[in-house]
């Protein structure tokens, strides 16, 4: 039995890289999604106003793929950590692979693919049945439903609680994110100077301004289990 209040708090910031080995493409790697689609065409509110069909199709394809993939060893290893630590995941991913793996606390910064919401009342959020959101699918107030995604140029409602969590971390882990997108990328600046930070990414670059950094230049499927074993075996 573990006493939750005495457990060390691990905060994990994940990006598209943790889901890559499940078969979901990242955004900015070569062959990434943003090579094939322009952000301005599919991931902004202006795009939605200009060409709803194209935006619906883009997210329908993402959602359809999500139903075809499974969590990988990286997602699974993070669940293992909960046996010894109070683990909070902050993900930029819109997939639900952390939840499918069994992680208990997952905060989504950029929304969730399997959810949709009203275009007149942002509080009306629904879980979509199946993969396809169609023109003419309406909220209870009669407006077209949109993907429950934070588009470029839109506010990130969960950023404040995410900053607070980052500041509370005893151990901070960053996995598979290029840290190109703000404000998500700024979370690393809220980590306490005394907190050890681990970075797992096959193309990892140093995190400037972050003290106590250990880099695993590894894919998540092998790097995360490696780090988890180290933390489980440690005296922490
Ligand atoms: P990016 O595509 O920008 O970065 C993916 C990162 O994953 C890169 O640093 C890769 O080196 C790394 N990577 C690739 N394969 C990996 C593997 N097998 N294991 C571990 N790491 C691997 O994706 P994000 O940083 O998540 O937002 O992108 C941030 C946001 O930009 C996304 O949430 C999305 C996107 O536009 C929205 O759509 C709102």
């Amino acid at each position: 039995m573990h006493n939750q209040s005495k457990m060390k708090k691990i905060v994990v910031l994940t990006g598209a890289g943790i889901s890559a080995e499940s078969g979901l493409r990242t955004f900015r790697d070569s062959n990434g999604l943003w090579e094939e689609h322009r952000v301005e065409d599919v991931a902004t509110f202006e795009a939605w106003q200009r060409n709803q069909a194209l935006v619906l199709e883009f997210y329908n394809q993402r959602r359809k793929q999500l139903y075809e993939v499974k969590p990988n060893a990286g997602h699974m290893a993070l669940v293992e950590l909960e046996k010894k630590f109070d683990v909070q995941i902050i993900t930029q991913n819109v997939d639900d692979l952390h939840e499918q793996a069994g992680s208990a606390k997952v905060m989504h910064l950029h929304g969730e693919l399997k959810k949709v919401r009203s275009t007149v009342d942002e509080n009306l959020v629904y879980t979509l049945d199946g993969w396809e959101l169609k023109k003419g699918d309406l909220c209870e107030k009669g407006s077209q439903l949109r993907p429950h995604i934070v588009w470029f140029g839109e506010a990130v409602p969960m950023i404040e609680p995410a900053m607070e969590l980052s500041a509370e971390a005893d151990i901070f882990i960053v996995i598979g994110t290029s840290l190109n997108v703000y404000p998500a990328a700024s979370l690393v600046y809220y980590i306490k100077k005394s907190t050890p930070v681990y970075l797992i990414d096959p193309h990892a670059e140093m995190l400037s301004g972050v003290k106590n950094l250990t880099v695993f230049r590894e894919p998540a499927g092998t790097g995360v289990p490696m780090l988890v074993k180290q933390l489980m075996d440690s005296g922490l």
Side-chain angles (χ1 to χ4, degrees), residues 14-18 20-21 26-29 34 43 59 92-93 110 149-152 175-181 200-204 218-221:
T14 64
I18 195 168
E21 287 154 274
T26 65
F27 297 95
R28 293 176 187 78
D29 286 301
W34 294 152
Y59 288 100
Q92 297 166 83
N93 298 343
H110 293 160
I149 301 285
V150 176
W151 284 323
F152 284 89
I175 308 168
T177 171
S178 63
L179 295 173
N180 260 297
V181 174
I200 302 171
D201 193 307
H203 310 293
E218 288 275 339

Side-chain angles (χ1 to χ4, degrees), residues 41-77:
D41 290 341
V42 294
T44 64
F45 187 70
E46 291 70 32
W48 172 252
Q49 287 176 310
R50 204 182 318 123
N51 193 341
Q52 255 179 42
L54 186 67
V55 175
L56 285 170
E57 172 63 12
F58 177 73
Y59 288 100
N60 282 341
Q61 286 311 317
R62 307 278 76 73
R63 209 178 289 111
K64 194 174 177 189
Q65 270 180 19
L66 177 52
Y67 277 103
E68 292 160 5
V69 303
K70 294 196 303 286
N72 63 58
H75 300 101
M76 302 309 292

Side-chain angles (χ1 to χ4, degrees), residues 114-179:
K114 289 185 178 171
K115 294 185 179 169
V116 295
R117 72 167 185 264
S118 161
T119 34
V120 294
D121 181 351
E122 63 185 13
N123 296 314
L124 293 178
V125 179
Y126 309 87
T127 299
L128 189 65
D129 240 352
W131 61 270
E132 197 176 14
L133 178 62
K134 299 194 204 70
K135 209 171 162 76
D137 287 345
L138 306 178
C139 78
E140 65 211 58
K141 292 187 176 169
S143 84
Q144 172 68 42
L145 289 167
R146 60 166 273 182
H148 185 49
I149 301 285
V150 176
W151 284 323
F152 284 89
E154 294 188 315
V156 179
M158 297 310 285
I159 199 67
E160 291 276 336
M163 286 168 173
E164 283 165 24
L165 285 170
S166 301
E168 287 167 9
D170 298 309
I171 297 169
F172 198 96
I173 306 174
V174 180
I175 308 168
T177 171
S178 63
L179 295 173

